[in-house]
Amino acid sequence: MNTLISLLTELSESYVRAFRHTCTLAAVKLLSSLAAAALSLSVGIENSQKLYQVQKTKTMRQRSPPQQERIQRKITELREKRAEIESMMDVIFKGIFLKRYRDVLPEIRSICLEELGLWMKVYSSAFLNDSYLKYMGWMMHDKVPDVRLKCVLGLQGLYGDPPLLPKLDLFTTRFKERMISMTLDKDNEVAVQTMKLLLLISKTSDDALSPEDYKQLLQLVYSSQRPLAAAAGELLFARLLNTEVPASDTQGEMNEGEAHEGQTSARLRALLLFHQESELHKHVVYLVDSLWDCGGALLKDWPTIASILLQEPSSHSPGLTRADQVVLVEILVASVRQASQGPALAGRSGAKKVMSAREKKIQIDDCTKLTDHLLVVLPKLLSKFSGSCDTVASLMKIPQYFLPECLEADNTQAASSLMAEMGAALDRHSGPALLEAAARTYLSLCGGEGSWCSVARAARYSLVRRWVDHLTALLGDSLQGESSRFSADEEKTADILATLKKLRAFHNCHDLLEWNLFGLLSPLLSAESGARGAPPEVLLEVLQCLSYCMLWSLNTSGGTLTSREKAVSQRLQLRLFCERGNHCLSHSDHSVQQQAFLGVCDVLTAHSYQLQVWDPSSFGPLLYTPSPKLQRALLTFVCAHVFVVPDCDGQSAVGEDSEVERLEELHRRRNLLAAFCKLIVHRVLEMSMAAEVFMYYMKYHNDFGDIIKETMYRTRQMDKMDSARTLVLCLQQLFVRLKREQESGGRAHPGVQTFTSIKELARRFALTFGDLIKFRECVVVIHRNGIEFVFQEFGQTPDGPTPPYLSYLTILGEFSSKLLKQDKKIVFSYLQKHTAEHIIDIREECWQPLVYYRASLLAAAEGEDAVSYISSDRKPYLPGRSPFSKQKLEGSKSPCPFSPVDSKVSKGHRSSFSPSHQEKTTDADPFSVPADPPAKRLNFEGSVLSTGHEAEDDTVDVEL
């Protein structure tokens, strides 16, 4: 054994990771086995000592001296063996553990700490003391999460054994702060297990954690990680909610039901007090989710919660305050949602995504129970809290989780009572939260085939008919004259606005086309703007209602367009809405402008989708194309309201409030941009209009980069050639604006970008072409259009020796790295064709963009970049010898823009591209340039030709 221990000790110090890891593992496992053997010897010694004491208690006549001596010898022998084993354990611990628990490999450290926790639990008499516990405390500061996790798991085993707790008091006092801080560990598993460890400590010792410690730990019920929040919820339930109510004098007179209600009421009051004192968060739904695993029985006691809410204050029972009642209603609604839908919450991860059969059965049983009880009690709750809009809005969400298959679903009397209370609440309030909850609830109740569904449908029909009749009467008095001039006093305008809000909320969820709201509300948009027009609040609701009308009409047109007259009527409504929306884009109120823009974009997108999915058996929709005026108006609106510089002075005035407003404004602008990009992706607008959006890709990359990049990806899927031409158009427009700004010499315009930013934008565009084979033709088209943009219709004169847009070649050079080797030769030949007619002196500074572009085209031939080629042009050369002659002498050792290039094409490229044959003559145009004027060149639909079989001569002669 000593030889084995020596071997393991030596190899555990090896520089070879495998030796060190294997021998450390063998050594600590050996020590674990020795600890188990020492424990068995200690048990044998204890049993032998008991036998020896029994022999000593006997009388002189009953004693057996030989047996006593034999037991004494056995005890001595066992002690010697235990001492020998403990000596071996001490050698292994000092020779291996003390050196390897700080090893550079985290796996070795984890092994050592895991076995140390086992030693202290198995052989506590030798290992469970402060001399060994300190290693656990030190290694809780390790940088690797797995090491910290092994320490926490080992401590859980120690704190879970009650006989070992007295030896852990000093360790708890010393490392309590570290354990509390580990609940915020970046590793979720470490944080969860630490919270469970602190739960064990709190159960075993009441004074181990202070009230400040509990306050910090209990705030984790609002954590974004559900396992950690559930562990904190278990601590909250054990600390505050699982306490027994102290016995009172009248407890003997109470029956079992009253005692249960009193116990539940006390726990709910404690929960309400905790929520009131919690200053970090106010989200009741997350608190309920955290307590669901341990306190589900309390939260699912809906009869008791409802009785507490309906209870009136008396002399012996003061009841709940108004604020507590509001919170308790939110707890009731959250528990109903949790029982019906499970722990899937926005912003909280770590929940189970798939339920087992047992969990599904429990969910169905809970839905049945809540439906049976709350269907009867909910009308009473709505009646009691009818004065509070927010409380009624929360209570109206409960019927969305009812189960139609339960026995109580046939109770039409309860359903009628519920519909009556909901209708009364809608007549009294018009808050947005209440209207949205009511619309969704009616949608849920009217969707089935049960008895209460017919009652809900009748109630919905009655409500909408009453609102439409009331609105018709109001608008008949307010709209006067042929110009539909809006004239209504303040009270009548408020009545119109409240009715419009109700119809808008319901039309969002329900099909209300049978009431012809489009014909009723469209005259409001034709009213004159300004003082004689409708107020902006009314126009905002009207635009939303009309957009919902068009969306429902387009959505249900597959079964309703049975004749040409209906199709023509739908197209006329679509045209009228777009025209009125275009008119509202110039309204003085910004909210009206934005709603008109979003409504038009949504309707046009839905119309495009309708054309793709309509049923061929029906008549089918008629095509509607937005007018050029409307298209320009939409593009102008996006450029004016999305790509704007925020007001930094106003934001720096206030701190947190300004940050919230900035984020809301950014969210609004992102919605506007996304709506416009959908029109391009769905082919409603020409793809070339995306150029105005793509040019802001780098300038607003942090705010809209993801939307613009996704638009580029979608347009490339639609037509990669048109997408490439759009990128070219974007860069050329930016470059032309920059040149005009420089020539005018005026003040810099906000929409003009610098040359460096345009060049960087081109580089980012080039990075989107990942697969060179797939986008081969696209990259060649970009180079072709760029060369034509620079040299087309350029006549060299003494006053203008260079093309005005020659510096654009520097921008175009960013795409040269995406050309294949053989395509670079073709582009170079095409460039030579355009430059052959002009006198070029590369030593002049004005021609450096051309030098740079040529270098970028020829760089791949020798595996260098464009900068190395430009530097070769500026090297000194022998007097009387031209750079071209020097190039012939040095050959390939001195690469320059005119060096020979290899024309061999790999077999992979040949098989993937199928290039056409090109002759050696320079007169042939490899691109088949069309004869149309340059203004129309960005819209051509030709294919790009290239060469795969070059001439045998590898030298490219350049005539300057």
Side-chain angles (χ1 to χ4, degrees):
M1 181 64 72
N2 293 332
T3 304
L4 177 61
I5 294 175
S6 301
L7 176 62
L8 294 177
T9 303
E10 292 295 329
L11 290 178
S12 65
E13 299 178 356
S14 173
Y15 286 102
V16 181
R17 183 201 64 83
F19 287 165
R20 197 166 70 252
H21 182 277
T22 304
C23 293
T24 303
L25 177 62
V28 295
K29 291 296 183 181
L30 177 60
L31 198 152
S32 300
S33 301
L34 292 175
L39 178 64
S40 63
L41 290 175
S42 298
V43 173
I45 292 172
E46 185 179 354
N47 293 334
S48 298
Q49 287 178 345
K50 291 179 180 179
L51 290 176
Y52 186 77
Q53 293 297 328
V54 170
Q55 288 294 329
K56 290 180 63 177
T57 57
K58 292 181 179 181
T59 61
M60 295 296 295
R61 182 177 297 179
Q62 293 176 341
R63 290 179 183 176
S64 176
Q67 187 176 2
Q68 284 184 343
E69 293 177 1
R70 188 167 58 252
I71 293 175
Q72 187 64 35
R73 287 196 302 269
K74 183 178 180 181
I75 292 174
T76 304
E77 181 182 356
L78 291 176
R79 285 178 176 174
E80 291 176 354
K81 290 183 178 179
R82 187 177 66 179
E84 183 180 0
I85 290 177
E86 288 180 350
S87 175
M88 295 180 194
M89 292 165 56
D90 188 64
V91 171
I92 296 176
F93 186 85
K94 293 180 178 179
I96 299 178
F97 179 87
L98 290 183
K99 298 178 181 179
R100 300 277 69 81
Y101 87 98
R102 295 178 299 176
D103 196 279
V104 68
L105 289 179
E107 294 85 358
I108 296 179
R109 301 200 300 271
S110 299
I111 291 172
C112 293
L113 272 298
E114 183 179 8
E115 295 300 320
L116 177 60
L118 181 63
W119 303 336
M120 288 189 290
K121 184 175 182 180
V122 172
Y123 198 37
S124 58
S125 59
F127 285 99
L128 189 57
N129 53 60
D130 297 331
S131 299
Y132 294 96
L133 282 170
K134 64 182 180 182
Y135 300 113
M136 282 285 195
W138 292 345
M139 297 309 290
M140 283 194 297
H141 295 270
D142 197 276
K143 295 181 179 180
V144 179
D146 187 63
V147 180
R148 301 194 298 270
L149 181 61
K150 291 296 189 294
C151 294
V152 175
L153 293 177
L155 292 173
Q156 285 182 6
L158 299 180
Y159 281 99
D161 195 354
L164 305 180
L165 295 177
K167 298 182 179 181
L168 296 169
D169 293 338
L170 182 59
F171 177 84
T172 304
T173 305
R174 172 65 180 82
F175 293 100
K176 180 186 70 173
E177 296 298 329
R178 174 56 186 164
M179 288 187 286
I180 293 176
S181 65
M182 288 177 66
T183 56
L184 301 176
D185 197 281
K186 64 180 182 179
D187 187 81
N188 297 328
E189 186 63 22
V190 174
V192 172
Q193 297 302 328
T194 305
M195 180 60 72
K196 293 181 179 179
L197 173 62
L198 293 171
L199 178 62
L200 287 175
I201 295 175
S202 67
K203 288 181 178 179
T204 55
S205 177
D206 294 335
D207 56 352
L209 300 175
S210 63
E212 290 76 14
D213 297 334
Y214 280 112
K215 184 178 180 180
Q216 179 180 352
L217 293 175
L218 293 181
Q219 290 294 334
L220 293 176
V221 295
Y222 300 105
S223 172
S224 60
Q225 298 294 326
R226 192 181 188 278
L228 179 59
E234 189 175 354
L235 177 62
L236 172 63
F237 187 80
R239 177 70 178 174
L240 301 177
L241 306 181
N242 203 22
T243 56
E244 297 293 335
V245 179
S248 60
D249 299 336
T250 60
Q251 189 174 4
E253 303 175 0
M254 298 168 58
N255 56 22
E256 184 178 356
E258 294 176 348
H260 172 73
E261 183 176 347
Q263 183 75 20
T264 303
S265 177
R267 292 182 176 180
L268 289 175
R269 288 178 185 273
L271 182 60
L272 293 174
L273 180 62
F274 168 76
H275 181 268
Q276 182 180 1
E277 295 177 351
S278 177
E279 301 176 355
L280 185 62
H281 292 283
K282 300 296 182 182
H283 302 291
V284 175
V285 64
Y286 294 99
L287 176 61
V288 171
D289 182 48
S290 302
L291 292 170
W292 193 255
D293 295 340
C294 56
L298 171 65
L299 298 172
K300 289 189 288 188
D301 193 358
W302 298 299
T304 305
I305 296 177
S307 63
I308 293 174
L309 288 172
L310 294 174
Q311 183 180 3
E312 297 295 337
S314 59
S315 58
H316 60 85
S317 178
L320 300 176
T321 63
R322 194 66 178 176
D324 291 341
Q325 289 178 347
V326 172
V327 176
L328 189 57
V329 167
E330 294 182 6
I331 292 176
L332 173 64
V333 177
S335 63
V336 169
R337 188 214 69 84
Q338 189 85 9
S340 176
Q341 294 184 349
L345 288 176
R348 174 166 284 185
S349 59
K352 291 177 61 178
K353 297 182 179 180
V354 180
M355 292 190 301
S356 61
R358 179 175 174 272
E359 292 173 341
K360 291 181 179 179
K361 185 178 183 302
I362 293 176
Q363 186 181 34
I364 294 175
D365 294 341
D366 291 340
C367 291
T368 303
K369 293 177 182 178
L370 70 90
T371 304
D372 292 341
H373 180 73
L374 294 179
L375 182 60
V376 180
V377 178
L378 188 57
K380 302 177 183 178
L381 293 174
L382 289 173
S383 176
K384 180 178 180 179
F385 298 101
S386 59
S388 176
C389 181
D390 295 336
T391 306
V392 172
S394 299
L395 290 173
M396 276 195 178
K397 297 178 182 178
I398 294 179
Q400 300 176 18
Y401 309 108
F402 283 171
L403 192 65
E405 291 81 10
C406 67
L407 298 177
E408 197 65 26
D410 296 332
N411 190 350
T412 57
Q413 183 179 358
S416 301
S417 177
L418 177 60
M419 295 298 107
E421 291 296 335
M422 291 178 63
L426 287 172
D427 292 337
R428 176 176 297 184
H429 304 287
S430 60
L434 185 144
L435 294 177
E436 181 182 359
R440 293 183 181 275
T441 299
Y442 273 99
L443 180 64
S444 176
L445 296 178
C446 297
E449 298 296 336
S451 57
W452 71 17
C453 298
S454 58
V455 176
R457 283 192 286 267
R460 180 187 62 180
Y461 182 86
S462 176
L463 275 175
V464 177
R465 182 180 61 182
R466 187 167 70 250
W467 292 338
V468 172
D469 294 342
H470 183 58
L471 182 61
T472 303
L474 290 174
L475 292 181
D477 299 336
S478 302
L479 294 177
Q480 299 177 1
E482 298 180 357
S483 60
S484 300
R485 184 171 60 88
F486 185 84
S487 60
D489 55 9
E490 186 176 350
E491 182 180 358
K492 187 176 294 185
T493 302
D495 199 0
I496 292 175
L497 184 61
T499 308
L500 282 174
K501 288 181 179 180
K502 296 173 184 178
L503 288 173
R504 184 259 307 161
F506 270 69
H507 209 348
N508 188 18
C509 301
H510 305 267
D511 184 7
L512 306 182
L513 294 178
E514 57 179 311
W515 280 277
N516 192 20
L517 292 178
F518 190 91
L520 178 63
L521 300 178
S522 57
L524 286 172
L525 292 183
S526 62
E528 297 180 7
S529 60
R532 304 174 62 188
E537 301 83 10
V538 175
L539 290 180
L540 199 63
E541 300 296 332
V542 169
L543 284 170
Q544 294 188 38
C545 281
L546 292 181
S547 64
Y548 293 152
C549 290
M550 291 307 308
L551 291 175
W552 276 106
S553 176
L554 293 173
N555 183 53
T556 59
S557 61
T560 57
L561 294 183
T562 56
S563 63
R564 179 176 180 82
E565 290 75 12
K566 293 183 178 180
V568 171
S569 175
Q570 184 190 86
R571 187 173 64 172
L572 290 177
Q573 286 185 352
L574 180 60
R575 178 183 299 172
L576 179 62
F577 176 76
C578 292
E579 291 176 355
R580 300 288 170 81
N582 187 14
H583 178 70
C584 290
L585 288 178
S586 58
H587 197 273
S588 58
D589 189 78
H590 293 290
S591 59
V592 174
Q593 296 177 10
Q594 296 167 14
Q595 184 57 46
F597 177 83
L598 292 175
V600 171
C601 291
D602 291 342
V603 169
L604 290 177
T605 304
H607 176 64
S608 174
Y609 180 75
Q610 177 204 28
L611 296 176
Q612 302 174 13
V613 300
W614 68 278
D615 187 7
S617 60
S618 63
F619 182 78
L622 295 179
L623 178 62
Y624 171 74
T625 303
S627 62
K629 180 181 178 182
L630 177 60
Q631 297 185 28
R632 289 193 301 270
L634 294 176
L635 180 59
T636 305
F637 184 87
V638 168
C639 296
H641 292 80
V642 176
F643 303 108
V644 292
V645 180
D647 187 8
C648 299
D649 298 335
Q651 291 182 2
S652 59
V654 189
E656 185 178 354
D657 295 339
S658 65
E659 181 65 18
V660 173
E661 293 177 0
R662 188 189 69 82
L663 292 177
E664 291 179 353
E665 177 69 14
L666 176 61
H667 180 67
R668 179 192 62 80
R669 291 160 60 197
R670 286 176 60 88
N671 286 339
L672 296 176
L673 179 60
F676 181 79
C677 291
K678 287 180 183 177
L679 298 180
I680 298 174
V681 171
H682 289 275
R683 304 177 187 271
V684 178
L685 302 179
E686 293 291 336
M687 193 181 298
S688 59
M689 300 188 72
E692 289 288 340
V693 176
F694 292 165
M695 64 177 58
Y696 296 103
Y697 179 58
M698 288 302 301
K699 188 175 182 180
Y700 295 91
H701 186 270
N702 293 334
D703 296 337
F704 314 113
D706 54 340
I707 300 177
I708 299 176
K709 186 176 181 179
E710 182 66 19
T711 305
M712 281 194 287
Y713 174 74
R714 296 291 185 89
T715 55
R716 195 165 293 171
Q717 284 185 328
M718 294 162 49
D719 191 333
K720 59 182 180 180
M721 301 300 294
D722 281 347
S723 177
R725 297 186 187 101
T726 304
L727 298 181
V728 170
L729 180 61
C730 169
L731 295 174
Q732 292 178 2
Q733 286 180 351
L734 284 174
F735 183 78
V736 170
R737 292 177 186 177
L738 177 62
K739 293 291 292 184
R740 291 176 180 174
E741 190 73 20
Q742 291 174 348
E743 293 173 357
S744 62
R747 185 179 177 182
H749 192 272
V752 178
Q753 302 185 25
T754 62
F755 185 83
T756 305
S757 62
I758 301 175
K759 190 170 181 291
E760 177 64 19
L761 180 63
R763 187 186 70 84
R764 296 299 292 266
F765 284 167
L767 292 177
T768 60
F769 295 100
D771 190 349
L772 301 184
I773 305 297
K774 180 179 179 181
F775 300 110
R776 179 180 184 181
E777 295 182 357
C778 299
V779 179
V780 173
V781 163
I782 292 175
H783 283 274
R784 168 185 176 168
N785 289 337
I787 294 173
E788 293 175 354
F789 174 70
V790 173
F791 292 101
Q792 193 71 27
E793 298 183 356
F794 166 66
Q796 194 172 31
T797 61
D799 296 334
T802 60
Y805 299 152
L806 184 64
S807 55
Y808 180 77
L809 293 178
T810 306
I811 299 174
L812 190 60
E814 297 295 331
F815 294 92
S816 298
S817 60
K818 299 301 178 179
L819 284 169
L820 295 180
K821 188 176 180 181
Q822 58 270 32
D823 293 339
K824 287 194 175 188
K825 299 178 184 180
I826 303 173
V827 173
F828 185 82
S829 301
Y830 192 68
L831 177 65
Q832 290 298 101
K833 177 180 177 295
H834 283 78
T835 58
E837 302 174 357
H838 311 298
I839 302 174
I840 300 175
D841 187 359
I842 62 174
R843 290 172 294 184
E844 294 183 2
E845 190 68 26
C846 59
W847 289 104
Q848 290 308 308
L850 177 60
V851 175
Y852 179 89
Y853 183 56
R854 283 172 168 171
S856 66
L857 292 177
L858 299 176
E862 299 294 337
E864 299 185 17
D865 57 358
V867 178
S868 63
Y869 279 92
I870 295 176
S871 61
S872 67
D873 291 333
R874 298 182 179 272
K875 289 181 181 179
Y877 52 89
L878 297 177
R881 182 179 296 174
S882 65
F884 185 68
S885 61
K886 180 183 176 182
Q887 168 200 341
K888 291 186 177 181
L889 291 175
E890 293 180 354
S892 61
K893 294 182 180 180
S894 178
C896 67
F898 319 114
S899 62
V901 293
D902 186 13
S903 63
K904 302 299 180 181
V905 182
S906 62
K907 295 181 179 179
H909 289 167
R910 291 174 180 172
S911 60
S912 61
F913 186 60
S914 300
S916 61
H917 179 71
Q918 179 186 0
E919 296 296 335
K920 184 178 178 180
T921 59
T922 58
D923 296 334
D925 185 3
F927 291 97
S928 301
V929 183
D932 52 301
K936 300 181 179 180
R937 194 146 292 139
L938 290 176
N939 299 322
F940 68 94
E941 293 290 337
S943 61
V944 180
L945 304 177
S946 62
T947 62
H949 306 281
E950 295 288 344
E952 295 297 331
D953 187 6
D954 289 343
T955 303
V956 179
D957 295 332
V958 180
E959 297 294 339
L960 299 181

